[in-house]
Amino acid sequence: MSFDGFPPFISAHLQYLLNHYPHTIQIEQARSGTRYFPGSLDRFTLLIPYCLDYMKWDVIYNAEFPLAAPDVIFGAEDEDFHPFHVLCGEDGDSRLVKNSLTDWNNKDPTRLLALVTELRDKYRSYQEKRVGEVDDDRLKFEISTIVSREGIEMHMSSGVEKVTYPVGRKYASAPSAPRLKLMCTPELKALFSIDDVKLPSWLDGMCMAEYLPHLEELLQRQVLEAVTLIDVRRQFIEALAPLLGRPLEADPVFCRKASFLVCSGPFTFMV
């Protein structure tokens, strides 16, 4: 990504964030909000991975006051998300707690990464609390069986969820199955198509703690098969070399494509 147009300190913050965040963050809608430096980009939208989707948070710096910490605007559905306020006392008053903004230093390129990491952790806790407050026995049971698993994230949204539970008033003796949708990283999607994965059947009376091991076993087997096929394709391309010569070009990663020059009399073909 080009950082042209950003003040040097914002550019340093963004470069450090993109290079050191453990997951892929995208930057969109870089724009200027200052009247005195109209060509200076000081605000943008971050697409931050969460729950196998992306949250869009606006980060607002001020090029006219570079020492000031940035503001962060969350999504429209998160108006009750106040990460740096805690309730205290029976009267419900809130107070600010020490956070990544209280000791902001615009000369420290790590500060934006620390802020995004802290906000995402607090957002995860916020969503877990929201899901936990849903008055549904089935949902509470499912959460209790999988909450200890590494990497579990929860999200309540008016949109489409990855795992959707039909929430009712009381626990049914034969609850219906959740709607499941597989998501994956771009790197895994390049290896094999998850759209072709047939999910294991959901048996009556099953819970997520019973279902996930079967799903994980299926996916691990298919990933292993996809990796094995890379070696098979590579060996096939290498076996063609004595007959057709070295390939003009070949896919060095997944070995899905290779081009050879073939001569037949006066004609030359590329296959």
Side-chain angles (χ1 to χ4, degrees), residues 36-89:
Y36 301 104
F37 308 101
S40 183
L41 305 177
D42 61 354
R43 52 198 63 194
F44 47 86
T45 300
L46 288 181
L47 274 67
I48 303 170
Y50 177 77
C51 209
L52 295 178
D53 205 339
Y54 284 92
M55 305 177 292
K56 291 188 176 183
W57 291 352
D58 290 332
V59 180
I60 311 297
Y61 283 85
N62 191 332
E64 298 175 17
F65 300 95
L67 297 180
D71 292 324
V72 180
I73 302 177
F74 307 111
E77 294 184 348
D78 299 320
E79 59 182 9
D80 295 328
F81 177 48
H82 305 291
F84 297 146
H85 286 81
V86 295
L87 296 178
C88 55

Side-chain angles (χ1 to χ4, degrees), residues 146-157:
I146 64 174
V147 69
S148 61
R149 296 175 65 93
E150 182 180 357
I152 293 294
E153 294 179 345
M154 307 175 194
H155 187 219
M156 281 189 61
S157 172

Side-chain angles (χ1 to χ4, degrees), residues 22-181:
H23 307 288
T24 302
I25 284 184
Q26 302 178 31
I27 299 175
E28 290 184 348
Q29 300 178 13
R31 53 204 184 274
S32 175
T34 171
R35 293 183 300 172
Y36 301 104
F37 308 101
S40 183
L41 305 177
D42 61 354
R43 52 198 63 194
F44 47 86
T45 300
L46 288 181
L47 274 67
I48 303 170
Y50 177 77
C51 209
L52 295 178
D53 205 339
Y54 284 92
M55 305 177 292
K56 291 188 176 183
W57 291 352
D58 290 332
V59 180
I60 311 297
Y61 283 85
N62 191 332
E64 298 175 17
F65 300 95
L67 297 180
D71 292 324
V72 180
I73 302 177
F74 307 111
E77 294 184 348
D78 299 320
E79 59 182 9
D80 295 328
F81 177 48
H82 305 291
F84 297 146
H85 286 81
V86 295
L87 296 178
C88 55
E90 297 181 355
D91 53 3
D93 291 339
S94 65
R95 62 179 177 84
L96 285 172
V97 295
K98 186 177 180 180
N99 55 71
S100 298
L101 295 176
T102 54
D103 58 349
W104 184 261
N105 180 1
N106 74 319
K107 296 181 180 180
D108 183 355
T110 70
R111 300 313 302 161
L112 181 59
L113 171 63
L115 176 62
V116 170
T117 301
E118 182 179 15
L119 287 175
R120 189 186 185 283
D121 289 343
K122 290 185 176 295
Y123 187 79
R124 177 177 176 176
S125 299
Y126 163 73
Q127 288 290 348
E128 288 179 355
K129 183 174 183 294
R130 291 185 67 201
V131 173
E133 291 173 348
V134 175
D135 184 18
D136 183 80
D137 293 337
R138 164 78 187 283
L139 184 60
K140 292 181 184 297
F141 168 74
E142 293 286 1
I143 292 175
S144 70
T145 64
I146 64 174
V147 69
S148 61
R149 296 175 65 93
E150 182 180 357
I152 293 294
E153 294 179 345
M154 307 175 194
H155 187 219
M156 281 189 61
S157 172
S158 58
V160 178
E161 292 79 19
K162 312 302 170 295
V163 179
T164 306
Y165 288 99
V167 176
R169 292 185 177 275
K170 292 296 180 182
Y171 184 82
S173 58
S176 56
R179 298 190 299 274
L180 303 171
K181 179 181 179 181

